[in-house]
Amino acid sequence: VQLQASGGGLVQAGASLRLSCVVSGRTKSPFVMGWFRQAPAKEREFVGAINRSGGRIQYADSVRGRFTISRDNAKDTVYLQMNSLKPEDTAVYYCAATVDFISTMSHEYDYWGQGTLVTVSS
């Protein structure tokens, strides 16, 4: 299974970005998908996750109301729409997949993408 994240870039505070994560390989059934981020000199942190059907989504408090996770199972793609970006959102964003259930813990995820850098200037 391979995960390919894209869509990062350099934006000003208040702008929006949409990240995409395409899942390929052995995708017999959709995975539970998560987004995490890691800022310089900080630990990786949970951003949000979406269940297989898209009917349940969980967000970190720091992004709730600004970020939206969605998925298109026909395209094996998960999205992270980020609005009202703040400088503190600057990080490498990773998508991850698990065969189990939504979790906020990175070690619960089985597969990881390579990360895409989001930089928000003030």
Side-chain angles (χ1 to χ4, degrees):
V1 175
Q2 293 82 42
L3 280 64
Q4 180 71 43
S6 62
L10 171 63
V11 297
Q12 291 188 330
S16 298
L17 274 177
R18 188 177 80 158
L19 306 184
S20 299
C21 176
V22 178
V23 182
S24 61
R26 296 176 59 186
T27 56
K28 181 177 181 180
S29 61
F31 293 100
V32 169
M33 299 296 298
W35 286 97
F36 290 78
R37 66 185 181 184
Q38 188 165 17
K42 293 189 176 180
E43 293 187 354
R44 190 169 299 187
E45 66 172 355
F46 174 76
V47 174
I50 186 169
N51 72 346
R52 291 174 177 80
S53 68
R56 182 189 170 209
I57 305 171
Q58 184 172 343
Y59 296 101
D61 289 343
S62 58
V63 306
R64 188 177 293 113
R66 299 188 299 123
F67 290 11
T68 302
I69 298 174
S70 61
R71 67 189 300 159
D72 183 342
N73 287 339
K75 297 181 179 180
D76 293 323
T77 303
V78 177
Y79 304 98
L80 178 64
Q81 177 67 45
M82 305 184 294
N83 299 329
S84 303
L85 282 162
K86 305 175 181 180
E88 51 263 43
D89 295 318
T90 295
V92 176
Y93 284 72
Y94 299 90
C95 58
T98 177
V99 298
D100 295 319
F101 304 100
I102 286 181
S103 174
T104 63
M105 308 300 292
S106 60
H107 68 264
E108 298 283 355
Y109 289 80
D110 306 295
Y111 306 101
W112 289 83
Q114 84 290 356
T116 184
L117 177 62
V118 173
T119 304
V120 184
S121 62
S122 57

